[in-house]
Amino acid sequence: MHELSIMGSILNIVLEHAEKHGARKVKAVNLMIGDLSDIIPEWAQMYFDMLTKETIADGAKLEIERVPLTVECRDCGEVRTYTDKNWSFTCQKCQSSNLELKSGREMTVTSIEIE
Ligand SMILES: [Zn+2]
């Protein structure tokens, strides 16, 4: 039930934000999710629907933007972005494993649409 707890904390952020702006209804939530996170978008929406019942975010649509994994080699500076899931944690150029994760672990609410 990993997704459920993550969606719970996302919902808290959304409701807090909505309240601050005097929203009557949350229509959509835009999320950025890194490819490294194991969130499955369809499940995320399902759990979100479960959690939002009886709240002003009931029926809100999740818009999920995936962020690809990007790593930078600390030894030679090579930057690589993985657009598929063929991840490698060794530098393709110098074979070093001294890599820095630049993106791919995101789990952020970028914006919400309210009424
Ligand atoms: Zn390298």
Side-chain angles (χ1 to χ4, degrees), residues 21-88:
H21 290 80
R24 283 175 297 121
K25 187 151 181 52
V26 178
K27 292 169 70 182
V29 177
N30 298 301
L31 293 175
M32 257 171 61
I33 295 179
D35 268 349
L36 271 189
S37 78
D38 49 7
I39 297 289
I40 299 161
E42 295 76 43
W43 291 16
Q45 180 74 61
M46 195 179 83
Y47 287 128
F48 192 72
D49 289 347
M50 267 168 58
L51 291 165
T52 51
K53 291 215 183 323
E54 318 281 310
T55 74
I56 59 168
D58 189 13
K61 174 111 182 59
L62 291 180
E63 302 285 350
I64 296 175
E65 187 193 334
R66 304 296 302 209
V67 183
L69 172 68
T70 301
V71 291
E72 182 177 349
C73 176
R74 287 197 186 94
D75 292 332
C76 75
E78 173 85 347
V79 176
R80 192 161 284 257
T81 300
Y82 292 93
T83 47
D84 51 27
K85 298 231 166 170
N86 260 332
W87 301 325
S88 164

